[in-house]
């Protein structure tokens, strides 16, 4: 059984007299695995922090093509860890270090495919950030390569570990609280894409497009909740407000900042997704309705008031049974460690996989499906027509994945 951990007391000044073998509840687990982080920007540093907080694996080394990113990551790391870090001079040495047990690829989307090819030469377990690639062709090639890979590849679709969705899946699937689900309505209202190294995320060519880059998370969640194959996608969207005057080396930013997407599933479930990226704070919502009730999940993150995020879930059953409304925000230290705690539970899944245990982390096939929906939606925006997923997949040489969702 996993031992309970009381971090609050572990870190409090009044408990410093508890030392050595007296530490039991205050003791961090022994780190079994050594991780190498490739790309030490925003998310690479989040993974460094979360891995250290969890303690079951330690950050052994870092590599980034930009010295500044490695310097800052190392400096920040020293603020919460007294362990040493290996700094690699190139990708090959980062991937082939015999002292490292697993690799985490946290570089921009357009670099994933080429970096992954080098990383796979190591035969080590790999964590690959989302979206797995910028094109369906590369994503499918990753799925193929994974089929014969001696180890595993986990995709960074960690929103499935957000507290409100863990609870929603439990209500819908394990408890069947709302009966047979019929509709899913999901939305994200948020500020624009943040500044990035080289501003890679302002261009479709680097990111794969806004719906691929950001919304693959939501299409992954919707696919999991619908538990069926998408058959038709219609979308409308564009660039209304953000980065209209932004250009790099004379090339104007071309990323969409809002969209409406409708998805029909083979089992009759209908879903929609709304994106708006010119708001001041973050609001995420998923409403699932079945024939015996409605489930409403919300996540609010008010950055201007500098308030911690809050995740809630409400079950409304009318005369079908008991209704409830609950705050399901993760323990504060975990919630604040990144992406409202989801990254922490994603790390547990990664280390569980290293231990050889089964877990619910995102597979390359699920990563591909999140990209199929996103890419079909982007194609629909461009052509102004609904996209038949079967035909879309045949056109993109993806016939073998029809009906294969995980
Ligand atoms: N799972 C999530 O919720 C989540 C959140 C944020 C970002 N991401 C993903 O993580 C990736 C990185 O995003 P970010 O926000 O950290 O970007 P970032 O710009 O903050 O950091 C990227 C880092 O990668 C480095 N880099 C670029 N090319 C490289 C190469 N060829 N080799 C080594 N290093 C290289 C850059 O110098 C930079 O330090 C993207 O794929 C993004 O979609 C995922």
């Amino acid at each position: 059984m996993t031992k309970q951990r009381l971090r609050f007391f572990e870190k409090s000044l009044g408990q410093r007299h508890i030392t050595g073998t007296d530490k039991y509840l205050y003791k961090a687990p022994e780190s079994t695995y050594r991780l190498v982080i490739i790309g030490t920007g925003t998310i690479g540093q989040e993974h460094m922090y979360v891995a250290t907080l969890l303690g079951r694996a330690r950050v052994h080394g870092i590599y980034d093509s930009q010295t500044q990113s490695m310097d800052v990551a190392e400096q920040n790391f020293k603020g919460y860890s007294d362990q040493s870090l290996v700094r690699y001079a190139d990708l090959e040495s980062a991937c082939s270090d015999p002292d490292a047990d697993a690799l985490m690829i946290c570089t921009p989307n357009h670099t994933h495919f080429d970096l992954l090819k080098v990383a796979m030469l190591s035969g080590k377990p790999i964590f690959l950030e989302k979206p797995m690639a910028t094109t369906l062709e590369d994503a499918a090639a990753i799925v193929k390569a994974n089929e014969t890979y001696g180890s595993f590849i986990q995709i960074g679709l960690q929103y499935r570990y957000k507290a409100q969705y863990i609870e929603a899946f439990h209500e819908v699937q394990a408890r069947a609280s709302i009966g047979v689900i019929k509709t899913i309505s999901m939305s994200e209202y948020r500020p624009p894409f943040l500044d990035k190294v080289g501003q890679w995320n302002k261009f479709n060519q680097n990111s794969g497009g806004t719906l691929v880059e950001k919304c693959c998370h939501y299409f992954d969640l919707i696919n999991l909740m619908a538990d069926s194959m998408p058959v038709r996608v219609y979308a409308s969207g564009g660039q209304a407000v953000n980065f209209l005057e932004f250009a790099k080396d004379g090339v104007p930013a071309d990323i969409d900042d809002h969209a409406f997407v409708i998805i029909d599933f083979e089992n009759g479930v209908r879903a929609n997704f709304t994106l708006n990226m010119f708001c001041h704070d973050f609001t995420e919502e998923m409403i699932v309705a079945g024939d015996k009730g409605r489930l409403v999940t919300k996540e609010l993150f008010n950055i201007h008031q500098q308030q911690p995020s809050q995740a809630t879930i409400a079950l409304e059953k009318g005369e079908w049974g008991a209704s409830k409304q609950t705050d399901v925000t993760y323990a504060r230290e975990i919630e604040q460690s990144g992406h409202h705690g989801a990254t922490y539970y994603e790390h547990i899944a990664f280390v569980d996989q290293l231990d050889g245990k089964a877990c619910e982390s995102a597979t390359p096939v699920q990563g591909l499906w999140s990209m199929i929906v996103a890419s079909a939606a982007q194609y629909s925006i461009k052509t102004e027509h609904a996209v038949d997923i079967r035909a879309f997949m045949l056109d993109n040489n993806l016939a073998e994945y029809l009906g294969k969702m995980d």
Side-chain angles (χ1 to χ4, degrees), residues 42-43 64 69 109 112 129-130 158 196-197 213 339:
T42 311
I43 197 74
D64 195 293
S69 292
N109 306 354
H112 288 179
E129 261 307 341
K130 55 51 53 179
Q158 92 280 28
K196 297 287 163 187
V197 174
E213 148 57 14
H339 284 61

Side-chain angles (χ1 to χ4, degrees), residues 136-137 139-145 147 229 365 368-369 372 389-390 392-406:
L136 286 174
E137 190 185 352
I142 292 172
V143 172
K144 264 268 147 288
E147 283 168 9
M229 197 187 85
V365 172
L368 171 66
W369 270 103
I372 290 171
I389 292 294
R390 185 171 290 273
F392 185 71
M393 289 180 68
L394 293 178
D395 287 350
N396 284 284
N397 300 315
L398 296 171
E400 66 185 290
Y401 300 106
L402 278 163
K404 185 173 183 265
M405 298 290 294
D406 48 26

Side-chain angles (χ1 to χ4, degrees), residues 77-285:
F77 185 72
K78 281 183 187 157
Y80 57 81
S81 172
D82 54 11
Q83 291 173 333
S84 59
L85 275 183
V86 179
R87 284 175 66 129
Y88 301 99
D90 52 55
L91 177 67
E92 285 69 18
S93 43
C95 293
S96 61
D97 183 347
D99 290 335
D101 299 301
L103 310 172
M104 302 191 84
I105 300 177
C106 308
T107 56
N109 306 354
H110 60 292
T111 66
H112 288 179
F113 188 51
D114 287 341
L115 263 68
L116 182 71
K117 283 192 255 182
V118 178
M120 286 178 81
L121 295 175
S122 71
K124 294 179 198 234
I126 296 171
F127 174 92
L128 175 63
E129 261 307 341
K130 55 51 53 179
M132 59 204 288
T134 51
T135 65
L136 286 174
E137 190 185 352
D138 289 355
I142 292 172
V143 172
K144 264 268 147 288
N146 179 55
E147 283 168 9
T148 52
Y149 192 48
S151 188
F152 69 88
I153 301 174
Q154 179 174 323
I155 307 297
L157 289 164
Q158 92 280 28
Y159 280 29
R160 52 172 73 190
Y161 293 114
K162 286 190 175 191
Q164 69 273 26
Y165 303 129
I166 293 274
E167 291 299 307
F169 286 127
H170 181 69
E171 289 295 342
V172 168
Q173 293 166 353
R175 293 190 70 209
S177 332
I178 58 169
V180 181
I181 78 163
K182 300 293 181 186
T183 62
I184 304 166
S185 198
M186 173 131 227
S187 64
E188 184 189 35
Y189 289 83
R190 58 160 286 168
F193 277 132
L194 306 183
D195 285 348
K196 297 287 163 187
V197 174
Q199 294 288 16
W200 61 267
N201 61 350
K202 307 302 175 302
F203 303 95
N204 289 327
Q205 200 175 355
N206 298 337
S207 72
T210 298
L211 296 183
V212 167
E213 148 57 14
K214 177 68 224 277
C215 308
C216 58
H217 279 303
Y218 301 113
F219 298 128
D220 178 53
L221 283 165
I222 291 170
N223 286 343
L224 289 173
M225 188 54 86
D227 195 22
S228 178
M229 197 187 85
V231 291
R232 199 175 308 101
V233 171
Y234 176 70
S236 173
Q239 185 184 14
V241 177
N242 298 343
F243 310 115
L244 293 173
E245 286 160 18
F246 179 93
K248 188 168 164 30
D249 303 329
V251 182
D254 59 357
I255 44 163
D256 290 344
D257 57 18
H258 68 286
F260 297 100
V261 182
I262 292 175
I263 311 155
D264 290 340
F265 286 86
E266 201 170 34
N267 63 357
V269 170
R270 291 199 165 88
N272 67 51
F273 170 69
T274 297
L275 175 73
N276 184 303
M277 298 190 66
F278 38 92
C279 298
H280 294 95
D281 289 301
F282 293 84
T283 315
E284 206 172 289
E285 193 173 65

